[in-house]
Amino acid sequence: MMTSGFSFYKPCQQLRDYIRYYWIFESNRPIETYTFPIGCPQIIFHKKSALYIPELSTKQDKLTISGQVNFSSHISATDNIEMIVAVFHPYAMSTFLNVPTSLFYNREVSGYGLENKELNCLAARVLDCEDNNFCIYLIEQWLLSQLRINSTSRREQDIDRIMTVIRQMYSNPNIRISELASIACLSKKQFERVFLAMVGMNPKEYARIVRFQQSLKLMQNQPESISLAQISYQCGYSDQSHFIREFRTLSGYTPLSLKEICEPYSDLFTTPL
């Protein structure tokens, strides 16, 4: 996780159940970095050079919807960068775009392709604005307007259900799907359908991301004092071999080899504010 060049912003009180935070990154030189599945979808505004994701053979658009992913990425940009990002809670983005988050699974989608006039208008204002603090204000005003337009009792009920379920998964990512469905007061089939639409991947796969991010948190906060066996146990892996195998699948490295290229950092379980 790069730290220099970043500025972080808290959402207003009305949006804190939906938005984790906003961040702005600026750099006057090309970059290459490595990212992992973080468990949260994002809306990205690029004022200058956009990011290239070789794993998808895709360059992000000036307005990009970045969905849930289950793979690591070697992202890069060849020129100056100035980007503004809204990071949503896992279940929240569909409320504002009014389409299922599952449409963006393992994809970097141009926001212009959604043919959302209000979103396109926001992008035009953000990309033309020189004051990035005011850009955050513009984004928040758009989010609040979409919340008023798209909010229904059914949608709010589903938000509450999946928010509660996600918190349970953070505490125990091995919790059974049937138990999560019961917590959500839905049948197993209904729960899986609602979860997929709102979070962007099925509950079992999302639990893998949660376990992975939990392991990064332990490696980040206890770099010398915790063993792989302890991480395996605390994060709910069946054994150390299972942990190493899953870690390599999601990061491209073993836990020990990752430390040789970067400091472990959990985006999902760290709020940089």
Side-chain angles (χ1 to χ4, degrees), residues 113-129:
L114 300 181
E115 299 183 353
N116 182 320
K117 292 181 180 179
E118 290 81 9
L119 179 60
N120 291 351
C121 180
L122 170 67
R125 296 184 70 189
V126 168
L127 296 175
D128 286 342
C129 180

Side-chain angles (χ1 to χ4, degrees), residues 127-272:
L127 296 175
D128 286 342
C129 180
E130 295 184 1
D131 182 346
N132 282 336
N133 289 318
F134 191 68
C135 289
I136 298 296
Y137 170 80
L138 292 174
I139 294 168
E140 288 228 306
Q141 292 306 300
W142 178 80
L143 290 166
L144 288 168
S145 71
Q146 296 308 297
L147 192 59
R148 290 190 293 269
I149 292 168
N150 296 332
S151 182
T152 64
S153 58
R154 175 62 180 273
R155 190 186 292 272
E156 290 304 309
Q157 184 179 49
D158 285 342
I159 283 279
D160 288 342
R161 284 169 166 163
I162 303 304
M163 183 192 309
T164 301
V165 162
I166 290 289
R167 288 171 179 168
Q168 289 289 327
M169 295 177 81
Y170 288 172
S171 299
N172 177 17
N174 285 339
I175 188 170
R176 293 178 180 273
I177 305 301
S178 57
E179 188 173 344
L180 292 174
S182 178
I183 291 169
C185 299
L186 295 169
S187 70
K188 185 172 179 289
K189 186 175 181 180
Q190 286 175 319
F191 167 68
E192 289 178 331
R193 176 178 54 78
V194 173
F195 191 99
L196 176 63
M198 295 182 69
V199 177
M201 57 174 52
N202 67 56
K204 185 175 181 180
E205 185 169 24
Y206 191 74
R208 292 179 65 211
I209 306 301
V210 172
R211 279 192 297 269
F212 169 68
Q213 284 287 332
Q214 284 182 333
S215 70
L216 287 173
K217 179 184 71 171
L218 292 174
M219 294 167 65
Q220 172 187 343
N221 296 332
Q222 303 178 50
E224 304 298 334
S225 61
I226 192 164
S227 68
L228 296 185
Q230 289 172 312
I231 295 173
S232 305
Y233 174 75
Q234 291 188 35
C235 296
Y237 292 100
S238 57
D239 54 35
Q240 186 172 317
S241 295
H242 179 212
F243 164 50
I244 294 172
R245 186 168 62 252
E246 280 285 282
F247 196 95
R248 186 181 312 190
T249 297
L250 292 171
S251 75
Y253 294 87
T254 67
L256 294 179
S257 63
L258 178 68
K259 292 181 179 181
E260 297 176 2
I261 66 161
C262 67
E263 293 295 326
Y265 181 90
S266 171
D267 288 280
L268 186 60
F269 291 104
T270 304
T271 301

Side-chain angles (χ1 to χ4, degrees), residues 22-185:
Y22 313 96
W23 55 265
I24 295 171
F25 177 67
E26 297 182 70
S27 175
N28 59 5
R29 58 185 181 182
I31 65 160
E32 291 186 8
T33 191
Y34 199 55
T35 65
F36 310 124
I38 69 171
C40 296
Q42 304 168 89
I43 295 180
I44 302 168
F45 302 85
H46 284 290
K47 291 187 170 185
K48 295 181 180 177
S49 180
L51 300 178
Y52 178 68
I53 298 93
E55 287 78 9
L56 295 174
S57 300
T58 298
K59 187 175 184 179
Q60 292 178 337
D61 203 344
K62 286 186 173 293
L63 170 62
T64 292
I65 314 299
S66 184
Q68 299 279 9
V69 301
N70 63 3
F71 59 90
S72 51
S73 303
H74 295 79
I75 63 173
S76 61
T78 57
D79 208 339
N80 295 350
I81 298 167
E82 186 176 356
M83 58 190 296
I84 303 172
V85 180
V87 181
F88 291 81
H89 285 293
Y91 49 79
M93 192 168 70
S94 63
T95 298
F96 301 92
L97 298 181
N98 209 26
V99 295
T101 305
S102 54
L103 293 179
F104 311 106
Y105 175 66
N106 279 349
R107 298 177 67 196
E108 303 288 325
V109 176
S110 172
Y112 299 112
L114 300 181
E115 299 183 353
N116 182 320
K117 292 181 180 179
E118 290 81 9
L119 179 60
N120 291 351
C121 180
L122 170 67
R125 296 184 70 189
V126 168
L127 296 175
D128 286 342
C129 180
E130 295 184 1
D131 182 346
N132 282 336
N133 289 318
F134 191 68
C135 289
I136 298 296
Y137 170 80
L138 292 174
I139 294 168
E140 288 228 306
Q141 292 306 300
W142 178 80
L143 290 166
L144 288 168
S145 71
Q146 296 308 297
L147 192 59
R148 290 190 293 269
I149 292 168
N150 296 332
S151 182
T152 64
S153 58
R154 175 62 180 273
R155 190 186 292 272
E156 290 304 309
Q157 184 179 49
D158 285 342
I159 283 279
D160 288 342
R161 284 169 166 163
I162 303 304
M163 183 192 309
T164 301
V165 162
I166 290 289
R167 288 171 179 168
Q168 289 289 327
M169 295 177 81
Y170 288 172
S171 299
N172 177 17
N174 285 339
I175 188 170
R176 293 178 180 273
I177 305 301
S178 57
E179 188 173 344
L180 292 174
S182 178
I183 291 169
C185 299

